[in-house]
């Protein structure tokens, strides 16, 4: 059965253990195209593992992962790698910029890896500095950027190849709240403009409030709200 | 009560007519909740009675609301004191949440129903406020912030309670 209900990203009954540690125990989740979906829940509940499965980084022990009508979990790593490169963008808690590269080269990196020519990759990267309030910082290396600036560069890098889905795992986790809000304001403005679907993992209600909808992960499962449990 | 103090403060800035005062109040403090004109005049009346404002002559040819209000020394002192006075925390909503949860447990109902509904309602309000903060002026944004942080405190409490429900149930029903 294909993903036919307008969902762009879907996990069906995903189960995954790290050795003896159960991380996912039958997680179900779906996000519609253009939606910003917050995935919240206590630390250790399986949020990051679920995100990694949806993004084709991890493969669940059982269950299914779907993207845009395609089964992802049955693909081999090279195919999943191509899927990530062509359709997904990533932002993590720590920007994970390449320290040897300038901010501009970092942003252009996904395009260079997708075999764009250097000049055109840099030309595509440049407008993102204006959009994310980073004008003038193009030549800086990550050591010369503040936490908030580095995270905005990471956001630009995640969005530069115009992915269908942005996977963000605690994107403001390393920032103070005002800086974090600034990053979230820019993230939401950019993805709304581009129509990007977002899976936003966060344990902070204030960050989750930027999403259109929220699901809660507890003990490796997406817990339906009590009210939904009563009617289903 | 902040309304009398807010009006007094606006009068310290400049003496004013009731109508202009209401307009200023609504601009700065009355977001989504404008001050009824009746309340403005009754408040000014009490402030005058208590010697915190003086009422000037009605301007000729205009109605009764064209009186000019001027703050007195006593009024200025009160504004000054109030501005630096700490405000007590608001345990109010917390108490309502807590009462509902404990009562549900005493009545052998599952409080998660209420906690989920409350959580969803708070998140919905938080999304509205977040959107307002994202798109509004600095004033809007600061007012929204205040609401967001209060909601956040409740949401943390709700999560904490859900996580410790088994222990709470045992304690309440023992
Ligand atoms: N690489 C790993 N190796 C072993 N255990 C892991 C690994 N990643 C996560 N876990 C465990 O899986 C569970 C879920 O973790 P995670 O998905 O990171 O939770 P969250 O993101 O909600 O904090 C936890 O018990 C965690 O300790
Ligand atoms: Mg995590």
């Amino acid at each position: 059965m294909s993903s036919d209900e307008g969902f762009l990203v879907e996990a069906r009954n995903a189960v995954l253990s790290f050795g003896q540690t159960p991380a996912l125990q039958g997680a179900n989740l779906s996000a519609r195209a253009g939606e910003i979906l917050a995935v919240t829940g206590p630390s250790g509940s399986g949020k990051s593992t679920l995100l990694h499965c949806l993004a084709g980084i991890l493969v669940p022990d059982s269950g299914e992962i779907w993207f845009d009508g395609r089964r992802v979990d049955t693909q081999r790593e090279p195919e999943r790698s191509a899927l990530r490169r062509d359709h997904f963008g990533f932002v993590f808690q720590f920007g994970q910029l390449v320290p040897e590269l300038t901010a501009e080269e970092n942003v252009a990196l996904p395009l260079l890896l997708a075999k764009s020519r250097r000049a055109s990759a840099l030309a595509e990267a440049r407008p993102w500095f204006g959009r994310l309030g980073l004008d003038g910082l193009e030549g800086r290396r990550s050591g010369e950027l503040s936490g908030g600036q580095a995270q905005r560069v990471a956001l630009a890098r995640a969005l530069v190849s115009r992915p269908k889905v942005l996977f963000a795992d605690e994107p403001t986790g390393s920032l103070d709240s005002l800086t974090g809000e600034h990053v979230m304001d820019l993230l939401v403005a950019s993805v709304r403009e581009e129509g990007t679907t977002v899976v936003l993992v966060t344990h902070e209600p204030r960050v989750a409030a930027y999403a259109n909808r929220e699901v809660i992960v507890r003990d490796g499962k997406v817990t339906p709200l009590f009210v939904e449990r009563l009617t289903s | 009560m902040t309304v009398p103090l807010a009006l007094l403060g606006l009068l310290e800035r400049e003496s004013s007519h009731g109508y202009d005062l209401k307009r200023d109040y609504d601009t700065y403090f009355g977001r989504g909740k404008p001050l009824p004109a009746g309340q403005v005049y009754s408040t000014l009346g009490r402030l005058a009675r208590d010697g915190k404002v003086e009422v000037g002559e009605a301007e000729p040819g205009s109605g009764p609301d064209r009186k000019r209000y001027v703050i007195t020394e006593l009024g200025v002192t009160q504004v000054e004191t109030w501005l630096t006075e700490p405000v007590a925390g608001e345990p109010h909503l917390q108490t309502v949440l807590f009462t509902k949860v404990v009562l549900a447990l005493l009545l052998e109902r599952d409080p998660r129903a209420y906690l989920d509904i409350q959580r969803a309602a708070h998140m919905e309000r938080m999304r509205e406020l977040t959107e307002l903060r994202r798109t509004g002026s600095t004033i809007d944004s600061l007012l929204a912030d205040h609401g967001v942080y209060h909601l956040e405190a409740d949401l943390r409490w709700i999560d904490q309670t859900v996580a410790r429900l088994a222990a709470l149930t045992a304690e309440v029903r023992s």
Side-chain angles (χ1 to χ4, degrees):
Chain A
M1 197 178 83
S2 75
S3 185
D4 54 4
E5 293 166 80
F7 295 128
L8 189 63
V9 186
E10 215 178 339
R12 292 185 192 165
N13 212 20
V15 174
L16 188 149
S17 294
F18 295 101
Q20 297 296 307
T21 312
L24 295 179
Q25 311 191 64
N28 290 291
L29 174 151
S30 36
R32 290 175 195 286
E35 176 174 53
I36 305 179
L37 177 68
V39 179
T40 59
S43 173
S45 58
K47 303 182 295 295
S48 295
T49 307
L50 181 55
L51 179 140
H52 291 147
C53 286
L54 289 167
I57 296 170
L58 287 172
V59 176
D61 302 331
S62 66
E64 300 175 6
I65 304 295
W66 291 82
F67 165 70
D68 205 9
R70 276 176 270 179
R71 182 92 183 258
V72 175
D73 56 287
T74 48
Q75 294 180 0
R76 290 165 190 287
E77 170 52 26
E79 287 173 84
R80 283 186 282 118
S81 169
L83 185 73
R84 293 197 295 268
R85 188 193 62 214
D86 296 339
H87 299 297
F88 299 163
F90 295 91
V91 190
F92 298 107
Q93 177 166 0
F94 300 100
Q96 298 180 330
L97 301 178
V98 180
E100 292 78 17
L101 301 181
T102 63
E104 194 173 45
E105 289 164 341
N106 264 289
V107 175
L109 196 57
L111 303 170
L112 294 168
L113 293 176
K115 312 236 179 330
S116 287
R117 282 174 36 252
R118 183 178 162 84
S120 73
L122 289 175
E124 262 186 78
R126 220 152 279 145
W128 284 95
F129 283 80
R131 283 178 82 170
L132 298 185
L134 293 165
D135 274 329
L137 303 179
E138 291 84 347
R140 299 241 187 128
R141 286 167 215 282
S142 58
E144 302 161 342
L145 297 169
S146 72
Q149 289 166 345
Q151 211 52 345
R152 280 180 278 148
V153 172
L155 180 60
R157 186 180 59 181
L159 294 174
V160 74
S161 47
R162 304 210 135 73
K164 286 216 170 95
V165 186
L166 174 67
F167 290 98
D169 194 348
E170 307 280 4
T172 63
S174 62
L175 306 174
D176 66 68
S177 60
L178 206 58
T179 310
E181 269 154 26
H182 187 209
V183 169
M184 285 308 300
D185 286 343
L186 291 165
L187 185 153
V188 168
S190 305
V191 300
R192 287 212 186 143
E193 223 172 287
E194 304 273 323
T196 318
T197 305
V198 182
V199 178
L200 169 66
V201 165
T202 176
H203 69 281
E204 290 182 74
R206 238 167 340 117
V207 176
Y210 281 87
N212 305 113
R213 191 161 67 87
E214 168 190 60
V215 296
I216 305 174
V217 180
R218 288 188 188 119
D219 301 324
K221 281 194 195 117
V222 176
T223 54
L225 284 179
F226 193 90
V227 255
E228 290 167 11
R229 283 206 293 276
L230 290 180
T231 53
S232 64
Chain B
M1 257 320 276
T2 63
V3 172
L5 271 310
L7 292 181
L8 261 186
L10 290 172
L11 283 175
E12 181 178 330
R13 205 176 51 151
E14 56 177 347
S15 64
S16 178
H17 298 106
Y19 176 81
D20 294 330
L21 211 49
K22 170 182 156 46
R23 190 202 51 211
D24 285 352
Y25 181 95
D26 289 346
T27 304
Y28 291 112
F29 313 119
R31 297 289 154 127
K33 209 176 140 198
L35 201 56
Q39 194 184 344
V40 176
Y41 291 108
S42 61
T43 305
L44 287 169
R46 274 192 301 276
L47 290 171
R49 183 198 64 198
D50 297 342
K52 292 167 190 164
V53 302
E54 276 164 3
V55 189
E57 288 299 301
E59 281 161 30
S62 44
D65 64 335
R66 295 308 294 174
K67 281 188 242 164
R68 181 169 283 278
Y69 294 85
V70 184
I71 194 167
T72 63
E73 272 309 308
L74 180 62
V76 172
T77 309
Q78 202 190 3
V79 170
E80 217 163 73
T81 309
W82 185 70
L83 281 179
T84 52
E85 222 166 43
V87 178
E90 285 175 47
H92 189 67
L93 184 53
Q94 180 81 350
T95 309
V96 179
L97 294 177
F98 184 73
T99 307
K100 288 191 189 215
V101 170
V102 172
L103 199 58
L105 287 173
L106 285 172
L107 300 176
E108 314 238 325
R109 296 194 171 93
D110 193 334
R112 278 176 303 173
Y114 166 66
L115 288 168
D116 270 4
I117 289 164
Q118 185 66 65
R119 190 192 157 85
H122 269 22
M123 280 306 299
E124 184 56 37
R125 180 70 187 134
M126 207 151 158
R127 276 191 283 273
E128 288 169 15
L129 290 173
T130 300
E131 187 61 19
L132 180 66
R133 194 182 53 200
R134 234 172 52 73
T135 51
S137 65
T138 306
I139 288 183
D140 286 330
S141 173
L142 282 171
L143 283 172
D145 266 346
H146 189 260
V148 164
Y149 287 120
H150 276 243
L151 290 169
E152 188 180 30
D154 283 343
L155 286 165
R156 281 180 193 275
W157 186 84
I158 287 169
D159 287 345
Q160 202 75 263
T161 305
V162 169
R164 304 178 67 183
L165 208 51
L168 179 65
T169 307
E171 205 169 297
V172 167
R173 291 191 185 157
S174 68

